[in-house]
Amino acid sequence: MGKITVKFIMEEGCEDLRPAKAHEDDAAYDLRARTDVTLAPGKVTLVPTGLHIELPPGYEAQVRPRSGLALKHAVGVLNSPGTIDAGYRGEVCSILFNFGETPFEIRRGDRISQMVIAALPDVELVPAEALSETGRGSGGFGSTGRK
């Protein structure tokens, strides 16, 4: 797979918040909070990152939770993964939810989520009279039982 170029700019005064991978072979770029926020238990908030990106056509960015925040503090990305379309040029933000029982303090510069850049297949949805049969059929939402 060849390397793609994704242009980005940072909000004024946010150059220190540039997305980065902790390790060269990591799948995702860490996203950092642009502002201080107190995330109350059971509440959702939009946390800005200061980042604007220009994805090439045929790509998306996915905003995902950080496993450490989920495990240690019960904080996650509510619409996970959040999709950033190639045509969007606004600020990348994370919709964070506090699933825990205590307030969670977010400070400017804290790593709050991660971003994966993903290629999208060229898909054509085609109307059909019927769909092929499978062993599963229309079973879903736990239809295979818990084992």
Side-chain angles (χ1 to χ4, degrees):
M1 179 185 306
K3 186 178 279 193
I4 65 160
T5 298
V6 175
K7 296 179 186 177
F8 74 93
I9 60 171
M10 300 301 296
E11 293 276 330
E12 185 174 334
C14 293
E15 293 77 18
D16 59 319
L17 305 177
R18 292 171 61 146
K21 292 182 177 185
H23 306 280
E24 184 178 321
D25 59 348
D26 285 353
Y29 291 86
D30 288 327
L31 298 178
R32 298 180 179 274
R34 178 166 64 90
T35 59
D36 293 346
V37 177
T38 299
L39 188 53
K43 297 297 181 186
V44 63
T45 192
L46 188 67
V47 182
T49 67
L51 173 67
H52 298 254
I53 59 175
E54 181 178 327
L55 294 164
Y59 286 83
E60 69 163 330
Q62 299 175 1
V63 177
R64 300 178 179 187
R66 295 190 66 242
S67 59
L69 285 182
L71 178 64
K72 297 174 185 172
H73 304 286
V75 171
V77 175
L78 189 58
N79 64 326
S80 181
T83 296
I84 301 167
D85 296 309
Y88 179 68
R89 297 295 184 268
E91 183 174 9
V92 173
C93 296
S94 295
I95 302 172
L96 297 185
F97 186 82
N98 184 346
F99 294 92
E101 298 175 359
T102 59
F104 181 70
E105 299 293 327
I106 299 169
R107 297 288 170 237
R108 184 186 187 286
D110 285 352
R111 293 177 297 160
I112 56 167
S113 58
Q114 53 187 339
M115 179 179 68
V116 171
I117 308 296
L120 300 170
D122 188 15
V123 175
E124 178 184 6
L125 292 178
V126 179
E129 295 293 325
L131 303 177
S132 63
E133 295 291 326
T134 69
R136 180 176 180 175
S138 61
F141 302 101
S143 65
T144 59
R146 183 174 179 183
K147 297 185 183 208

